[in-house]
Amino acid sequence: MEPITGSGDLRAGSASIATARPPYTYFGVARSMMLSVTALASKQPVPVLAHALVSAHVLECLLKASITKGGAEEKVKQRDVRHNLKKLWAMAAAEGLGVPASPPNWVACLSAIHDSPYCLRYSTGVHGIVTPSVQLVTSELEGLLKEVEAHLK
């Protein structure tokens, strides 16, 4: 077979990249970090606190992506809301995400250790931390990721 040789000039029109902004920035972080949630869940023994920490952040980003779909990011930045997964869940439900209005127990459990005083991150004055089931959280987050992705379209 003979090699093909030659030269050419290929020009593309102008290209642009959209400004990085919510809800897509929140969703991008959640989707990317979900890989870590599933990887941690598959380890033996499971690093439970690391799994809970990453899972809570993924949940926070998914809920914030849903809430900011209309562009109003101010409400998720309020001090009493920003890391409160129970409040974010209720807000996302009210904004039309297909989840029950009241957060399930696994969300309430993550919220209690993710929100102020941030026991999961700093554990100051804490002798033990209760986390929800690794398998349950991983499964629920996988489903929520799909639900939020569909909600954003």
Side-chain angles (χ1 to χ4, degrees):
M1 179 157 42
E2 295 293 318
I4 299 173
T5 59
S7 63
D9 186 12
L10 179 63
R11 295 176 192 242
S14 63
S16 65
I17 297 175
T19 304
R21 61 179 167 67
Y24 307 106
T25 48
Y26 288 124
F27 186 76
V29 168
R31 182 173 46 201
S32 178
M33 292 185 76
M34 190 63 206
L35 298 170
S36 298
V37 170
T38 55
L40 289 167
S42 70
K43 297 288 182 202
Q44 288 303 319
V46 176
V48 177
L49 292 181
H51 181 271
L53 179 67
V54 177
S55 295
H57 190 65
V58 167
L59 177 58
E60 178 182 331
C61 288
L62 286 173
L63 297 172
K64 287 180 175 180
S66 177
I67 295 163
T68 60
K69 178 182 177 183
E73 190 180 15
E74 311 80 44
K75 54 187 159 188
V76 299
K77 290 186 171 186
Q78 295 172 8
R79 189 170 198 77
D80 66 325
V81 171
R82 62 184 179 188
H83 299 298
N84 187 319
L85 301 176
K86 292 191 305 185
K87 284 187 180 180
L88 289 168
W89 181 279
M91 290 168 68
E95 294 282 335
L97 183 62
V99 296
S102 295
N105 288 339
W106 67 272
V107 172
C109 184
L110 282 179
S111 188
I113 58 178
H114 182 68
D115 196 13
S116 181
Y118 314 109
C119 295
L120 192 54
R121 286 184 250 174
Y122 309 116
S123 63
T124 303
V126 175
H127 293 289
I129 296 176
V130 176
T131 64
S133 161
V134 168
Q135 292 76 21
L136 174 67
V137 170
T138 303
S139 174
E140 292 292 327
L141 285 177
E142 287 169 341
L144 189 61
L145 182 79
K146 292 175 186 170
E147 180 72 28
V148 172
E149 184 173 31
H151 181 69
L152 295 178
K153 291 184 179 178

